[in-house]
Amino acid sequence: MREILGRRRRLRLRRKGRLAQLDAALTCATAWQWPVLPGAGPATTGTRGDRGRGCACPDPECAVPGAHPFDPGLLAATTDERMVRWWWTSRPAAPIMLATGGSAPCALSLPAVAGARAVDALDAMGLRIGPVVATPTRWSLLVAPYTLERLGELLHAKDWVPSSLRFHGEGGYLVLPPSEIGAGQVRWVRPPRPGSAAPWLPDVEAVLDALVEASTGAPDGGSRLSY
């Protein structure tokens, strides 16, 4: 009896999580006009379909397990409500992938320890920041759309930029909460404020210095690319 009750509870939690996934995808696409698509997701293991740490894509050495587009490809990202509903009805546990750049948000990501340090530094300076996404290994700060040309100008002015600092701009992507990937659960550190309007986003220049400094001061010197 205990095993049956436990199984029912797991099914209820899984069903609730799948509804939350669809609701989050619809909010991104329809309320905020952020183009999204389902990600590869983590591999399933065992007869109960438990989520593993690997990736559902064919690459056994996938560098970002579950946290990347696969089928469909990135160019399929859309804000169309019917398409989003169809995708997450067919694959209710699929991670939510944001196609960054263009008119959509861009992002800067860095290892989790450095990310927490950067957010604290920005708070201490009294700078307003936008939504912040966390995976078990990395934090990502969402920023207003920027062009590759402008990013290049900003980076050229720096003496050094740690290789662990990543830029999600035009042609890039970012996994959004409440997705589950191979590394674990994706969550909001700073969630968007509730409402129908798209979340406010800071300019990339306003946060870049703090992120470079935080990455440089990370335990590994910011030189290791950690997913």
Side-chain angles (χ1 to χ4, degrees):
M1 177 62 73
R2 183 177 299 175
E3 181 179 350
I4 293 174
L5 292 175
R7 187 180 302 125
R8 288 177 177 173
R9 183 174 183 273
R10 286 194 299 271
L11 288 173
R12 284 198 300 270
L13 291 175
R14 187 171 298 178
R15 190 177 299 113
K16 183 178 179 181
R18 289 173 175 176
L19 290 175
Q21 201 82 345
L22 173 59
D23 287 346
L26 286 172
T27 296
C28 291
T30 62
W32 302 342
Q33 292 296 294
W34 292 0
V36 297
L37 75 161
T44 55
T45 60
T47 57
R48 293 184 300 181
D50 295 329
R51 314 292 275 181
R53 295 184 62 84
C55 186
C57 78
D59 185 359
E61 299 181 0
C62 181
V64 284
H68 66 90
F70 172 58
D71 183 16
L74 184 61
L75 292 178
T78 184
T79 59
D80 182 75
E81 179 180 352
R82 291 175 298 177
M83 193 73 240
V84 170
R85 284 189 181 276
W86 184 83
W87 275 335
W88 271 274
T89 300
S90 303
R91 298 175 53 197
I96 302 168
M97 307 302 304
L98 166 69
T100 55
S103 60
C106 292
L108 289 78
S109 69
L110 60 170
V113 173
R117 183 181 295 131
V119 168
D120 288 344
L122 290 166
D123 285 343
M125 289 186 285
L127 292 177
R128 182 184 178 190
I129 61 175
V132 180
V133 175
T135 73
T137 56
R138 294 186 71 82
W139 284 27
S140 302
L141 281 74
L142 272 64
V143 297
Y146 56 74
T147 64
L148 292 178
E149 291 77 12
R150 181 155 186 267
L151 178 63
E153 292 173 357
L154 292 173
L155 296 181
H156 182 72
K158 306 296 178 188
D159 294 330
W160 180 67
V161 177
S163 60
S164 59
L165 182 59
R166 301 187 68 203
F167 302 91
H168 308 259
E170 184 72 33
Y173 57 86
L174 185 73
V175 62
L176 296 178
S179 303
E180 184 180 350
I181 58 176
Q185 192 69 39
V186 183
R187 62 184 177 88
W188 293 110
V189 175
R190 297 289 174 86
R193 294 181 179 179
S196 59
W200 178 86
L201 301 167
D203 187 84
V204 61
E205 187 174 6
V207 301
L208 183 58
D209 284 344
L211 269 62
V212 169
E213 184 174 348
S215 295
T216 304
D220 63 355
S223 61
R224 185 176 65 223
L225 185 60
S226 174
Y227 287 99

